[in-house]
């Protein structure tokens, strides 16, 4: 292995002074185009790599921005990182990413490790932190951006949306659609997730202002299995729940898949809504009603604020609301006829024209015959109810 190429080696090859090489590396305008080319050619020939640590100490800048997220595998976090990276790379800055899970101690550990490496700014997920985390960030002396939620008292600057209002609006949509027995599924208590708790509080606020509702809250793991477990709990309860709102799309999709396995028709028998508008929410059948957030845009805005602060353009704290959109899809969008029949046992309605209805055996049963043959036996009360409404 050869010796490390030094700044003096580049200066000797380019036949210039060490100071000139330093000015080229720092993109100074006080270097002629010809001299700049000579230095850059020498750097390429020798394979010189500048000592960024030394340069950072001299300039009090490292060009590194720290971002701390709970989990790297979740789309909602990776999209924010994508937006940040686009802006930072365009401004010749780089992102270092750390994950902390949802435990109190994990966030502080990662923050302290990053601050020891002197980042120029830091992005943290959420607005609920321990006192130790707030103190470390407030004393860091660098721009701090919190993201993913809103607060009236940010550490420095916050870029997010109101999880409380989004959940409340989603719940009101279900109420407006005629759902009265609505349960909310949130994450386990041991998850330090302020966003999920705000969504729970939004659900509680929306349902507390409307009379005649039957509501409940259950907690499950934030996973497909957790969503499936929620449906199993509802089924075992014996309560005729009409709609489930899930704190995340991941759990909601798990609930939908469990409904498929159990033959529960969505939304006629049980409506399901999620939160986050992941890609699968649009692709699953039925498509998932949810809350949409422009997470890439959120990441871009956070990075734009960081760049502006580092360029000296703006040093004031900000509260930036990127907003949200409640997206109604098939998993809650039932017909008016179905909305009025939520208390009636649900049966598959065949598209073929019913040509004859006849009673066979016990008067408590009825058989509907189609041109292609008889349907399965169904309760007479359902047939009577359909007749009264001109369906049969």
């Amino acid at each position: 292995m050869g010796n490390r190429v030094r700044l003096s080696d580049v200066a000797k090859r380019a036949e210039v002074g060490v100071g000139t090489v330093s000015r080229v590396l720092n993109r100074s305008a006080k270097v002629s185009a010809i001299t700049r080319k000579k230095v850059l050619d020498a750097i390429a020939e020798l394979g010189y790599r500048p000592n960024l640590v030394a340069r950072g100490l001299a300039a009090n800048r490292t060009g590194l921005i720290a971002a701390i997220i709970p989990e790297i595998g979740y789309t909602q976090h990776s999209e924010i990182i994508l937006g940040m990276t686009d802006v930072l790379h365009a401004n010749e800055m780089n992102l270092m990413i750390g994950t902390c899970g949802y435990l109190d101690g994990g966030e502080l550990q990662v923050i302290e490790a990053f601050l020891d490496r002197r980042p120029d700014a830091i992005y943290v997920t959420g607005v609920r932190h321990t006192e130790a985390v707030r103190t470390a960030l407030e004393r860091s002396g660098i721009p701090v951006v919190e993201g993913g939620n809103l607060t009236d008292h940010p550490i420095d600057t916050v870029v997010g949306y109101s999880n409380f209002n989004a959940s409340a609006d989603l719940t009101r949509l279900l109420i407006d659609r005629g759902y009265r027995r609505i349960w909310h599924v949130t994450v386990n208590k041991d998850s330090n997730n302020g966003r999920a708790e705000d969504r729970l509080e939004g659900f509680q606020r929306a349902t507390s202002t409307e009379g005649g509702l039957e509501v409940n809250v259950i907690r499950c793991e934030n996973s497909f299995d957790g969503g499936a477990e929620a449906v199993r709990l509802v089924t075992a309860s014996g309560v005729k729940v009409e709609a489930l709102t899930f704190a995340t799309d991941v759990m909601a999709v798990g609930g939908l898949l469990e409904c498929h396995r159990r033959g529960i028709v969505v939304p006629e028998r049980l409506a399901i809504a999620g939160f986050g508008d992941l890609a699968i929410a649009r692709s699953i059948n039925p498509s998932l009603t949810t809350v949409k957030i422009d997470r890439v845009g959120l990441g871009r805005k956070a990075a734009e604020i960081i760049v502006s602060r580092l360029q000296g353009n703006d040093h004031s704290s900000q509260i930036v609301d990127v907003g949200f959109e409640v997206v109604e899809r098939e998993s809650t969008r039932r017909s008016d006829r179905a909305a009025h029949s939520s208390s009636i046992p649900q049966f598959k309605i065949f598209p073929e024209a019913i040509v004859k209805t006849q009673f066979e055996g016990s008067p408590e049963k009825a058989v509907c015959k189609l041109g292609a043959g008889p349907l399965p036996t169904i309760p007479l009360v359902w047939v009577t109810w359909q007749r009264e409404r001109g369906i049969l």
Side-chain angles (χ1 to χ4, degrees), residues 337 347-358 366-376 378 382-383 386-387 390-392:
R337 180 183 300 164
F347 295 87
K348 183 174 181 180
I349 299 175
F350 288 78
E352 296 88 350
I354 296 179
V355 296
K356 185 178 181 181
T357 300
Q358 68 178 32
V367 175
C368 297
K369 288 190 175 181
L370 305 180
L375 281 173
I378 57 178
W382 183 79
V383 176
Q386 297 280 33
R387 280 176 174 163
I391 301 172
L392 291 181

Side-chain angles (χ1 to χ4, degrees), residues 313-370:
N313 298 327
D314 185 7
H315 294 281
S316 61
S317 298
Q318 300 181 54
I319 298 175
V320 181
D321 188 346
V322 300
F324 60 85
E325 177 187 357
V326 176
V327 181
E328 185 178 21
R329 297 197 179 102
E330 297 167 341
S331 66
T332 62
R333 190 189 294 137
R334 58 184 183 180
S335 65
D336 291 339
R337 180 183 300 164
H340 290 299
S341 65
S342 60
S343 62
I344 302 297
Q346 299 296 311
F347 295 87
K348 183 174 181 180
I349 299 175
F350 288 78
E352 296 88 350
I354 296 179
V355 296
K356 185 178 181 181
T357 300
Q358 68 178 32
F359 297 96
E360 293 184 356
S362 170
E364 297 175 357
K365 300 282 186 176
V367 175
C368 297
K369 288 190 175 181
L370 305 180

Side-chain angles (χ1 to χ4, degrees), residues 146-150 158-163 293 298 319-323:
E146 297 167 276
N149 209 347
L150 290 178
V158 61
V159 180
Y161 56 94
S162 174
N163 286 268
I293 301 100
L298 189 159
I319 298 175
V320 181
D321 188 346
V322 300

Side-chain angles (χ1 to χ4, degrees), residues 28-96:
S28 172
K30 298 179 180 181
V31 181
S32 69
I34 293 176
T35 300
R36 184 182 304 278
K37 185 177 185 307
K38 287 173 60 180
V39 171
L40 294 177
D41 287 346
I43 289 173
E45 291 170 6
L46 297 174
Y48 173 72
R49 303 288 299 176
N51 187 335
L52 295 180
V53 174
R55 287 177 60 190
L57 290 173
N60 200 29
R61 289 286 175 84
T62 61
L64 296 175
I65 309 302
I68 301 172
I69 59 178
E71 300 287 349
I72 201 166
Y74 285 163
T75 301
Q76 57 266 42
H77 301 310
S78 63
E79 288 180 351
I80 291 173
I81 295 300
L82 175 62
M84 292 186 69
T85 302
D86 286 345
V87 173
L88 294 176
H89 283 183
N91 288 274
E92 298 182 340
M93 299 179 187
N94 291 294
L95 197 65
M96 38 181 199

Side-chain angles (χ1 to χ4, degrees), residues 109-293:
Q109 180 181 5
V110 177
I111 287 173
E112 289 180 336
F114 275 172
L115 291 178
D116 289 343
R117 287 158 177 78
R118 302 173 63 88
D120 295 335
I122 190 165
Y123 169 91
V124 292
T125 302
V127 297
R128 298 188 185 185
H129 313 283
T130 64
E131 192 60 35
V133 166
R134 290 189 67 91
T135 299
L137 292 174
E138 288 169 349
R139 292 177 176 176
S140 67
I142 61 176
V144 176
V145 176
E146 297 167 276
N149 209 347
L150 290 178
T151 177
D152 292 332
H153 305 287
I155 296 171
D156 180 354
T157 292
V158 61
V159 180
Y161 56 94
S162 174
N163 286 268
F164 177 94
N165 289 340
S167 179
D169 285 359
L170 174 63
T171 305
R172 292 190 189 101
L173 170 67
L174 297 181
I175 294 171
D176 291 344
R177 293 294 180 266
Y179 295 102
R180 289 295 176 266
R181 292 184 289 275
I182 309 172
W183 286 19
H184 182 71
V185 185
T186 189
V187 299
N188 287 328
K189 289 183 178 180
D190 59 352
S191 294
N192 181 22
N193 186 340
R195 295 175 303 286
E197 291 303 307
D198 280 0
R199 294 167 196 175
L200 169 58
E201 292 172 9
F203 168 82
Q204 291 171 329
R205 173 64 63 84
T207 54
S208 67
T209 57
E210 184 77 20
L213 301 180
E214 298 178 26
V215 301
N216 197 2
V217 176
I218 54 179
R219 292 183 179 269
C220 294
E221 179 183 274
N222 184 18
S223 64
F224 290 146
D225 288 342
E229 176 64 16
V231 171
R232 290 193 290 269
L233 289 173
V234 168
T235 302
S237 72
V239 179
K240 293 182 179 179
V241 179
E242 296 176 356
L244 290 178
T245 64
F246 287 84
T248 69
D249 276 357
V250 171
M251 288 196 293
V253 169
L256 271 175
L257 295 175
E258 183 65 16
C259 285
H260 290 328
R261 285 189 287 268
R262 290 174 172 264
I264 299 173
V265 182
V266 177
E268 286 79 7
R269 171 59 184 84
L270 180 65
I272 288 182
F275 198 110
D277 197 30
L278 302 182
I280 194 173
R282 300 182 291 276
S283 303
I284 197 168
N285 184 31
S287 55
L288 182 64
T289 293
T290 186
V291 174
K292 179 179 181 179
I293 301 100

